[in-house]
Short mmCIF file of all heavy atoms in Angstrom, two decimals:
data_model
loop_
_atom_site.label_atom_id
_atom_site.label_comp_id
_atom_site.label_asym_id
_atom_site.label_seq_id
_atom_site.Cartn_x
_atom_site.Cartn_y
_atom_site.Cartn_z
N GLN A 172 16.80 -5.44 -40.12
CA GLN A 172 17.72 -5.09 -41.21
C GLN A 172 17.05 -4.13 -42.19
O GLN A 172 17.68 -3.19 -42.69
CB GLN A 172 18.17 -6.36 -41.94
CG GLN A 172 19.22 -7.14 -41.19
CD GLN A 172 19.79 -8.26 -42.04
OE1 GLN A 172 19.52 -9.42 -41.79
NE2 GLN A 172 20.55 -7.94 -43.05
N GLU A 173 15.79 -4.38 -42.47
CA GLU A 173 15.06 -3.52 -43.40
C GLU A 173 14.97 -2.09 -42.86
O GLU A 173 15.19 -1.12 -43.60
CB GLU A 173 13.66 -4.11 -43.63
CG GLU A 173 12.81 -3.33 -44.63
CD GLU A 173 11.44 -3.95 -44.79
OE1 GLU A 173 11.26 -5.11 -44.36
OE2 GLU A 173 10.54 -3.26 -45.32
N LEU A 174 14.65 -1.95 -41.57
CA LEU A 174 14.57 -0.62 -40.97
C LEU A 174 15.95 0.05 -40.90
O LEU A 174 16.05 1.28 -41.02
CB LEU A 174 13.97 -0.71 -39.56
CG LEU A 174 12.49 -1.09 -39.46
CD1 LEU A 174 12.11 -1.37 -38.03
CD2 LEU A 174 11.64 0.04 -40.04
N HIS A 175 16.99 -0.74 -40.72
CA HIS A 175 18.34 -0.18 -40.67
C HIS A 175 18.77 0.36 -42.03
O HIS A 175 19.53 1.33 -42.11
CB HIS A 175 19.33 -1.25 -40.18
CG HIS A 175 20.69 -0.74 -39.93
ND1 HIS A 175 21.84 -1.46 -40.24
CD2 HIS A 175 21.13 0.45 -39.42
CE1 HIS A 175 22.89 -0.76 -39.91
NE2 HIS A 175 22.51 0.40 -39.41
N ARG A 176 18.26 -0.25 -43.09
CA ARG A 176 18.64 0.19 -44.44
C ARG A 176 17.83 1.40 -44.89
O ARG A 176 18.29 2.20 -45.69
CB ARG A 176 18.46 -0.96 -45.44
CG ARG A 176 19.47 -2.07 -45.32
CD ARG A 176 19.42 -2.97 -46.55
NE ARG A 176 18.11 -3.59 -46.71
CZ ARG A 176 17.79 -4.80 -46.26
NH1 ARG A 176 18.70 -5.52 -45.61
NH2 ARG A 176 16.58 -5.30 -46.46
N GLU A 177 16.59 1.52 -44.40
CA GLU A 177 15.71 2.58 -44.88
C GLU A 177 16.05 3.92 -44.24
O GLU A 177 16.35 3.98 -43.04
CB GLU A 177 14.25 2.23 -44.58
CG GLU A 177 13.74 1.03 -45.34
CD GLU A 177 12.32 0.67 -44.96
OE1 GLU A 177 11.79 1.32 -44.03
OE2 GLU A 177 11.75 -0.26 -45.57
N PRO A 178 16.01 5.01 -45.04
CA PRO A 178 16.25 6.35 -44.47
C PRO A 178 15.16 6.73 -43.49
O PRO A 178 14.02 6.24 -43.55
CB PRO A 178 16.25 7.27 -45.70
CG PRO A 178 16.44 6.36 -46.86
CD PRO A 178 15.84 5.05 -46.50
N VAL A 179 15.50 7.60 -42.59
CA VAL A 179 14.55 8.04 -41.58
C VAL A 179 13.42 8.81 -42.25
O VAL A 179 13.61 9.52 -43.24
CB VAL A 179 15.26 8.90 -40.52
CG1 VAL A 179 15.81 10.17 -41.13
CG2 VAL A 179 14.32 9.24 -39.36
N GLU A 180 12.23 8.68 -41.71
CA GLU A 180 11.06 9.36 -42.26
C GLU A 180 11.25 10.87 -42.14
O GLU A 180 11.69 11.38 -41.11
CB GLU A 180 9.81 8.92 -41.51
CG GLU A 180 8.53 9.44 -42.11
CD GLU A 180 7.31 8.92 -41.38
OE1 GLU A 180 7.48 8.20 -40.38
OE2 GLU A 180 6.19 9.22 -41.83
N GLY A 181 10.92 11.58 -43.18
CA GLY A 181 11.08 13.04 -43.19
C GLY A 181 12.25 13.49 -44.04
O GLY A 181 12.36 14.66 -44.39
N THR A 182 13.16 12.55 -44.38
CA THR A 182 14.27 12.87 -45.28
C THR A 182 13.85 12.54 -46.70
O THR A 182 12.87 11.83 -46.93
CB THR A 182 15.52 12.04 -44.90
OG1 THR A 182 15.19 10.65 -44.99
CG2 THR A 182 15.96 12.35 -43.48
N PRO A 183 14.55 13.06 -47.70
CA PRO A 183 14.22 12.72 -49.09
C PRO A 183 14.23 11.21 -49.30
O PRO A 183 15.20 10.53 -48.93
CB PRO A 183 15.33 13.41 -49.89
CG PRO A 183 15.76 14.55 -49.01
CD PRO A 183 15.63 14.06 -47.61
#
Side-chain angles (χ1 to χ4, degrees):
Q172 283 189 251
E173 182 181 345
L174 291 171
H175 187 218
R176 288 194 299 265
E177 294 177 355
V179 64
E180 187 177 3
T182 59

